[in-house]
Amino acid sequence: MLTYFIQRLVYVVPVALGVSVFCFLLVHIAPGDPLTAVMPIDATAEQQAAMRAAYGFDKPLPVQFLVWLGNALAGDLGNSIATGRPVAGEVMRAVGNTLILAFAASLIGFSLGILFGFIAGYFKDTPIDRAVTALSITGVSVPNYWLGIVLVVIFSVMLGWLPSTGAGPGGSSAWRWDVEHLRFIVLPAVTLSVVPMGIVARTVRALVGDVLSQDFVTALAAKGMGRAGILRHVMRNVAPTTLSVVGLQLGYLLGGSILIETVFNWPGTGFLLSNAIFQRDLPLLQGTILVLALFFVFVNLLVDLVQPLVDPRIKRT
Amino acid sequence: MSVTAKTTINIAREEISDSSRGYWREVFQRLRRDPVAMACGTLILLLLAAVIFAPWIGLQDPVTGSMIQRLKPVGTPGHVLGTDELGRDMLSRLVYGGRLTLMLGLLPVLFALVIGTALGVFAGYAGGIFNTVIMRVVDVFFAFPSILLAIAISGALGAGIVNSLVSLTIVFIPPITRVAESVTASVRSLEYVDAARISGAGPLTVVRVHVLGNVLSPIFVYATSLTSVSMILAAGLSFLGLGVRPPEPEWGLMLNTLRTAIYIDPLIAALPGVMIFLTSLCLNLLSDGLRSAMNVKD
């Protein structure tokens, strides 16, 4: 059990290191000199060299990487080219809003996905099952940025029930858990929840169908166990895999919110990223991607660590 | 001795290619009995035919429009599906737009299929240090949600069709490599592969006959399920301004430029998204049909 925990923790280190190498290299695969944006057009060769030295771009790549990594570990992700402000501060402010949106979306997506998947798996090959399957395949196939626009057309433009963009009244970006603010999160959260709902429903349906066809279920029914009791057994067997799929989808929600945040002008990391792309602000792009990817690694680690609690088989190995 | 070994392998190979032909015929026959998959396959073929032959089916110019004809509704004479925000014919733009969107959906998966299969089979078959290096790099890429990875690479490289192709190909190589590696590793330790090796089959023969024969169908099914993801991602990149550049028609980009029109004509503004949605739905249903016809499990 303890070896399992240690194994998982040790395994994360090289992955996190690899993620930071990738993010570091992002600036270097970009065409052109990373300094063109800050360098005056008429800079002389000496001025250019001085600038390069000031930013540390004159050193070999591995040295640059170590310096960059050291700074990143100390919480310094460099400064945004467009605003000149520290990237770390900008990203941290935005990450909070992205997490709120991802949390709301996962609440909707996971609960409905598990519920639908369970019903479909239990009533396999009935019209109920086919309806749920159709719904989940629609959820997986729909481009969610388009769904967002459609929902805005229906609920904001035509019906006027919900606000179409922003994260609070008067364009405020400070989130509060009250009705006025919740009205703003409904459309983006529903839009974002559709894909994970489809995937979770699909997985849970297959799992439930699988478990129900196993011999031990027949044995339980034969010894006279009621429907509720059998369902409890099914749930315990389905839980571990469901948990890992849910964890993976939670990570995808963090990344997938980029397009949705752009559609709804939600002031999170996606909004930051689209600004960074638009202004070719590479340090901001790099910092945001790094933080989001490390979050994803962290969520996966968390799922791995929680896994033994729902799956006693792991403890024994 | 070596002569006999070679003949045995030749016979074995003929039998395998014979049975694999039968396998594909059987798959197609099973697929034909699946009405949903057949309908979706037909629709996708029709769409492919339309986008390939777009210049010869009497469509209007997709790039030039007239400002006095802006945002005409669906059903306007001369513009069956109306016109966009710059007065360009929507029908023509949707057909021409499908060219780029479908290309950006299919090509990255195709490239990744070739590269990922090669990497995965090599890693799985060679084992040892090669396996460790390749699979640990794959693990790092798995630490990124696919859309984030696509945006990271495209964002660094800049907008453009080629850059989109590159970034989407990189996104799909790791998952395909992982599937190929795990199937290869499990096939490699089977007894009949040992038997083939002992009777003198070289690594290339073993890989071509035994490994690829087993690896290709799960990977193929997996790749077809990736095409819809790839198309949605590609359109998403264009939607963010990272893919195709205006005035080139592309469904994601059209969705973006038509966003301002949702207050005037929501139906026109939604049309490119409807196309993405229907195509990806068809691709997913077809892939599901293939999965059960080929008897591949998730």
Side-chain angles (χ1 to χ4, degrees):
Chain A
M1 181 70 177
L2 190 65
T3 25
Y4 172 80
F5 277 136
I6 295 171
Q7 253 176 4
R8 289 288 105 186
L9 283 171
V10 168
Y11 173 75
V12 161
V13 177
V15 171
L17 196 69
V19 167
S20 35
V21 170
F22 175 84
C23 290
F24 168 75
L25 288 176
L26 271 184
V27 169
H28 294 269
I29 62 165
D33 195 302
L35 281 179
T36 33
V38 279
M39 196 125 52
I41 303 167
D42 56 351
T44 62
E46 293 89 65
Q47 280 172 320
Q48 283 186 15
M51 198 95 163
R52 220 168 297 263
Y55 277 83
F57 282 126
D58 56 339
K59 300 198 179 64
L61 269 187
V63 178
Q64 283 189 44
F65 171 68
L66 288 178
V67 172
W68 176 81
L69 187 67
N71 288 340
L73 286 175
D76 175 13
L77 292 172
N79 292 330
S80 154
I81 288 176
T83 62
R85 282 195 293 239
V87 168
E90 303 261 309
V91 176
M92 283 311 150
R93 242 193 316 283
V95 154
N97 285 329
T98 298
L99 285 178
I100 290 167
L101 183 58
F103 173 72
S106 52
L107 220 58
I108 304 170
F110 296 158
S111 50
L112 287 182
I114 292 173
L115 180 72
F116 288 160
F118 228 94
I119 295 174
Y122 193 77
F123 297 104
K124 207 166 187 173
D125 299 322
T126 63
I128 302 176
D129 175 28
R130 275 188 283 278
V132 171
T133 308
L135 192 73
S136 77
I137 203 157
T138 309
V140 179
S141 306
V142 73
N144 54 11
Y145 40 92
W146 170 73
L147 182 69
I149 298 175
V150 171
L151 291 181
V152 165
V153 167
I154 297 172
F155 292 100
S156 306
V157 180
M158 286 159 81
L159 296 172
W161 289 353
L162 292 163
S164 60
T165 55
S172 85
S173 62
W175 178 257
R176 246 175 281 126
W177 291 102
D178 56 27
V179 179
E180 260 318 298
H181 281 78
L182 281 176
R183 275 164 47 85
F184 281 84
I185 208 172
V186 175
L187 288 184
V190 168
T191 310
L192 195 55
S193 72
V194 168
V195 175
M197 187 194 72
I199 293 174
V200 170
R202 219 177 140 119
T203 315
V204 172
R205 171 187 176 267
L207 285 171
V208 169
D210 228 35
V211 173
L212 277 176
S213 67
Q214 279 176 26
D215 288 343
F216 82 88
V217 174
T218 321
L220 287 177
K223 76 164 196 177
M225 186 182 266
R227 193 170 284 181
I230 290 179
L231 272 183
R232 211 171 46 240
H233 278 272
V234 172
M235 270 181 214
R236 286 217 52 164
N237 275 282
V238 163
T241 317
T242 307
L243 180 71
S244 58
V245 172
V246 161
L248 205 62
Q249 288 306 313
L250 190 65
Y252 280 122
L253 279 179
L254 291 174
S257 67
I258 298 169
L259 287 158
I260 304 305
E261 287 181 16
T262 314
V263 171
F264 289 97
N265 280 336
W266 186 263
T269 47
F271 194 61
L272 211 59
L273 269 181
S274 57
N275 278 339
I277 290 161
F278 190 63
Q279 297 164 323
R280 284 206 63 72
D281 191 342
L282 287 173
L284 188 60
L285 180 84
Q286 184 186 41
T288 316
I289 302 270
L290 179 70
V291 171
L292 286 177
L294 289 181
F295 245 113
F296 190 47
V297 173
F298 175 72
V299 170
N300 283 337
L301 173 70
L302 214 61
V303 169
D304 280 346
L305 294 183
V306 176
Q307 201 77 317
L309 300 180
V310 287
D311 191 357
R313 280 167 299 188
I314 294 177
K315 271 185 220 162
R316 270 181 242 125
T317 51
Chain B
M1 180 63 212
S2 67
V3 175
T4 24
K6 264 191 194 132
T7 23
T8 351
I9 284 163
N10 277 337
I11 290 165
R13 193 187 304 149
E14 264 160 30
E15 271 172 6
I16 277 170
S17 61
D18 240 28
S19 69
S20 70
R21 251 203 305 280
Y23 171 73
W24 286 102
R25 195 182 299 137
E26 206 178 301
V27 165
F28 184 69
Q29 240 137 41
R30 254 178 278 169
L31 201 61
R32 259 201 349 208
R33 282 196 293 271
D34 182 346
V36 178
M38 280 320 279
C40 288
T42 315
L43 275 178
I44 289 171
L45 284 181
L46 280 177
L47 185 66
L48 276 176
V51 302
I52 290 170
F53 298 111
W56 299 285
I57 51 178
L59 291 168
Q60 298 170 35
D61 188 334
V63 182
T64 49
S66 101
M67 287 309 269
I68 46 166
Q69 294 277 340
R70 289 173 63 194
L71 286 172
K72 292 283 172 203
V74 170
T76 306
H79 301 288
V80 185
L81 290 179
T83 58
D84 74 354
E85 80 286 359
L86 295 175
R88 298 171 292 198
D89 183 55
M90 275 302 279
L91 175 65
S92 157
R93 280 184 72 74
L94 284 174
V95 174
Y96 274 96
R99 286 189 139 188
L100 283 172
T101 310
L102 283 177
M103 188 185 87
L104 286 169
L106 298 177
L107 281 187
V109 177
L110 200 67
F111 293 153
L113 187 68
V114 174
I115 302 170
T117 308
L119 278 175
V121 167
F122 177 66
Y125 194 80
I129 180 84
F130 295 112
N131 183 292
T132 312
V133 171
I134 294 177
M135 296 322 287
R136 288 303 83 81
V137 173
V138 163
D139 282 349
V140 169
F141 281 96
F142 262 88
F144 294 89
S146 46
I147 176 84
L148 191 67
L149 189 60
I151 289 175
I153 301 171
S154 279
L157 291 175
I161 297 173
V162 177
N163 289 347
S164 291
L165 276 178
V166 170
S167 75
L168 288 172
T169 305
I170 296 176
V171 166
F172 294 120
I173 290 175
I176 291 178
T177 308
R178 201 177 254 190
V179 175
E181 191 263 353
S182 75
V183 182
T184 307
S186 63
V187 169
R188 195 175 88 111
S189 54
L190 290 177
E191 278 171 2
Y192 72 83
V193 176
D194 280 339
R197 230 190 335 250
I198 291 165
S199 47
L204 276 181
T205 316
V206 172
V207 165
R208 203 183 60 225
V209 177
H210 300 294
V211 177
L212 284 184
N214 281 295
V215 168
L216 281 183
S217 58
I219 294 185
F220 184 70
V221 168
Y222 185 58
T224 53
S225 77
L226 288 181
T227 49
S228 96
V229 180
S230 173
M231 195 185 66
I232 290 180
L233 281 183
L237 286 178
S238 299
F239 182 72
L240 276 179
L242 273 178
V244 177
R245 272 177 283 212
E248 209 69 40
E250 194 276 341
W251 292 342
L253 183 66
M254 288 164 73
L255 207 53
N256 185 5
T257 54
L258 279 165
R259 263 177 76 192
T260 45
I262 59 171
Y263 297 99
I264 307 160
D265 195 329
L267 184 60
I268 296 268
L271 275 178
V274 173
M275 291 307 294
I276 304 176
F277 177 40
L278 289 181
T279 314
S280 110
L281 193 65
C282 278
L283 286 170
N284 273 328
L285 289 170
L286 182 64
S287 151
D288 275 5
L290 265 180
R291 189 189 303 273
S292 48
M294 289 168 110
N295 222 344
V296 173
K297 292 216 163 161
D298 291 271

